[in-house]
Amino acid sequence: MKDFRELQLVRIITKEGTIAKGDYLDEEVIIRCDERGFLNDSMDEDGQILPAIETRDGNHREFWTHGLLNCPTGKDGLYLPAVVDNIDNYELWFVNGKEYPPIN
C-alpha cells in the first residue's frame, strides 16, 4: 500500500463537506483527525497510541502529529517508524513532516 504523505497539512473533508474531526471508518481504512481536520494520532483508554491512518487488518499504519507525518515514541523512549507496511515490507521515518533515513 502506498503511504499518504501527500496529505501533509491538508484538511480532511467529510463526504458531507464538513471538516473531519475524530475517527472515520472506511471499509478498509480507519482515519483519525484532530479538531482542525488534520490527520492526527489519538490514544485509546489504555494509553496506547492509535495511528492516524491504519488498515483494519493492521498491516499498514501511519503516525501523524497535527497534519505532519511524525515518528512516535515507544514506551521504552525509542522512536518508532512513522509508516509501517507489513504487506510490502517497508518502514518510513519522518520528523515533523520531513523524511529521514532509518533512525535505528
Side-chain angles (χ1 to χ4, degrees), residues 3 7 20 28 41 45 57 66 69 85 88 91 95 99:
D3 61 82
L7 294 178
E28 296 182 28
D41 303 341
E45 56 276 353
D57 63 12
H66 302 295
L69 277 160
D85 192 294
D88 294 328
E91 297 177 343
V95 176
E99 188 172 6

Side-chain angles (χ1 to χ4, degrees), residues 41-51 63 75:
D41 303 341
S42 63
M43 294 275 199
D44 69 10
E45 56 276 353
D46 297 324
Q48 296 283 83
I49 297 173
L50 300 173
F63 296 91
K75 289 186 178 186

Side-chain angles (χ1 to χ4, degrees), residues 19-94:
I19 294 174
K21 297 175 186 173
D23 297 0
Y24 292 87
L25 310 173
D26 184 279
E27 287 183 29
E28 296 182 28
V29 179
I30 301 167
I31 296 172
R32 297 177 177 92
C33 297
D34 65 13
E35 65 284 345
R36 298 179 304 145
F38 294 116
L39 290 168
N40 192 60
D41 303 341
S42 63
M43 294 275 199
D44 69 10
E45 56 276 353
D46 297 324
Q48 296 283 83
I49 297 173
L50 300 173
I53 297 175
E54 68 178 315
T55 55
R56 285 186 181 262
D57 63 12
N59 281 315
H60 183 90
R61 297 178 312 281
E62 296 190 17
F63 296 91
W64 293 66
T65 303
H66 302 295
L68 295 171
L69 277 160
N70 197 42
C71 293
T73 306
K75 289 186 178 186
D76 55 7
L78 298 176
Y79 286 104
L80 302 171
V83 178
V84 177
D85 192 294
N86 296 325
I87 298 293
D88 294 328
N89 197 30
Y90 71 89
E91 297 177 343
L92 300 173
W93 299 79
F94 284 80

